[in-house]
């Protein structure tokens, strides 16, 4: 019998962190002498650090600065680790899927202490079968690698599996991996952008998805 996984992005999807990341990246860039608008930074959230910097600063940037800028972001964001908060319904949604027998996998660009803080905020470890982090793949979203690796971890096939995320990068990664992308608006990206990027269904947040689970592709799997 084939396995249909429920793969979840974390930042902006399960945990309310996108605007924190935006401020921390904005400040780290400013400290390095790069004045990038908050709007531009927010549009890049969901990319791994190297891809985010390339998206914002271009391929011709001084790449020797990348490590220092990323370290600056990590240090600033780390001050929030103990205060991270999940979205309403996030914990209950994962537990419901687990109870229904659907393997839950996290696919996130976070790793190390950041990932530990995110999982602590979600507080549903018993419902999470596996985690595919930034350390596990060569290419991050919008490449399909994180989603494909998440499926491999639980022996799931792409067809019938679902990837829930909040960014255009998530939707593109899901489509490229052959799974059905479901979007939530909680990360601050508008419905039209998410649908243009491939979202099959769009919900306000995890609480909205949980309320409508039976009628969603996630509930039908």
């Amino acid at each position: 019998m084939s396995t249909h996984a429920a793969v979840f992005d974390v930042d902006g999807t399960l945990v309310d962190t996108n605007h924190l990341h935006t401020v921390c990246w904005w400040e780290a860039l400013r400290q390095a002498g790069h004045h990038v608008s908050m709007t531009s930074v927010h549009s890049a959230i969901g990319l791994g650090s190297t891809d985010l910097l390339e998206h914002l600063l271009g391929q011709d940037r001084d790449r020797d600065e990348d490590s220092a800028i990323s370290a600056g972001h990590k240090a600033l964001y780390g001050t929030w680790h103990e205060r991270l908060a999940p979205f309403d319904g996030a914990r209950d949604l994962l537990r419901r899927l687990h109870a229904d027998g659907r393997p839950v996998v996290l696919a996130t660009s976070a790793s190390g202490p950041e990932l530990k803080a995110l999982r602590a905020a979600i507080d549903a470890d018993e419902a999470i079968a596996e985690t595919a982090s930034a350390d596990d793949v060569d290419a991050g979203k919008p490449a399909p690698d994180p989603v494909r690796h998440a499926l491999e971890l639980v022996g799931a096939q792409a067809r019938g599996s679902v990837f829930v995320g909040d960014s255009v990068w998530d939707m593109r990664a899901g489509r490229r991996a052959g799974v059905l992308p479901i979007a939530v608006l909680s990360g601050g990206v508008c419905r039209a952008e998410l649908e243009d990027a491939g979202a099959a269904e769009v919900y306000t947040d995890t609480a909205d998805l949980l309320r409508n689970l039976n009628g969603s592709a996630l509930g039908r799997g």
Side-chain angles (χ1 to χ4, degrees):
M1 183 177 178
S2 61
T3 299
H4 299 154
V7 184
F8 282 84
D9 171 62
V10 180
D11 287 299
T13 300
L14 297 174
V15 186
D16 191 4
T17 54
N18 277 15
H19 291 88
L20 291 175
H21 275 301
T22 298
V23 172
C24 293
W25 276 115
W26 176 85
E27 176 62 15
L29 287 160
R30 188 193 67 80
Q31 290 177 3
H34 301 286
H35 297 278
V36 182
S37 71
M38 289 263 189
T39 300
S40 296
V41 175
H42 180 264
S43 71
I45 299 301
L47 294 171
S49 59
T50 300
D51 291 330
L52 180 144
L53 291 172
E54 183 162 316
H55 182 79
L56 294 175
L57 302 179
Q59 295 183 347
D60 297 331
R61 71 190 185 283
D62 181 359
R63 295 174 185 269
D64 290 339
E65 293 183 330
D66 284 10
S67 294
I69 296 173
S70 295
H73 162 264
K74 185 177 293 187
L76 290 162
Y77 184 70
T79 65
W80 291 95
H81 280 181
E82 299 301 317
R83 290 172 282 174
L84 300 183
F87 287 109
D88 289 344
R91 185 177 302 126
D92 290 339
L93 176 59
L94 300 192
R95 289 174 175 169
R96 165 73 181 278
L97 292 167
H98 174 67
D100 289 347
R102 188 147 185 169
V104 173
V105 191
L106 306 183
T108 174
S109 57
S111 60
E114 181 182 341
L115 178 57
K116 182 178 179 180
L118 290 167
R119 291 191 64 145
I122 297 167
D123 190 24
D125 277 354
E126 75 283 359
I128 300 169
E130 294 285 353
T131 300
S133 79
D135 297 331
D136 301 323
V137 294
D138 294 328
K141 295 173 282 189
D145 303 37
V147 181
R148 287 176 176 165
H149 181 60
L151 297 177
E152 291 169 358
L153 288 173
V154 292
Q157 62 176 12
R159 185 177 178 84
S161 292
V162 172
F163 180 40
V164 183
D166 68 288
S167 71
V168 296
W169 320 113
D170 294 329
M171 300 303 103
R172 292 172 184 170
R175 285 293 178 189
R176 292 169 182 173
V179 305
L180 193 71
I182 290 180
V184 287
L185 301 174
S186 48
V189 181
C190 72
R191 178 184 296 268
E193 287 185 88
L194 293 165
E195 289 178 339
D196 286 347
E201 299 173 5
V202 182
Y203 297 87
T204 302
D205 51 23
T206 45
D208 184 31
L209 178 51
L210 178 58
R211 284 191 299 270
N212 294 281
L213 185 61
N214 289 340
S216 73
L218 190 57
R220 294 192 299 269

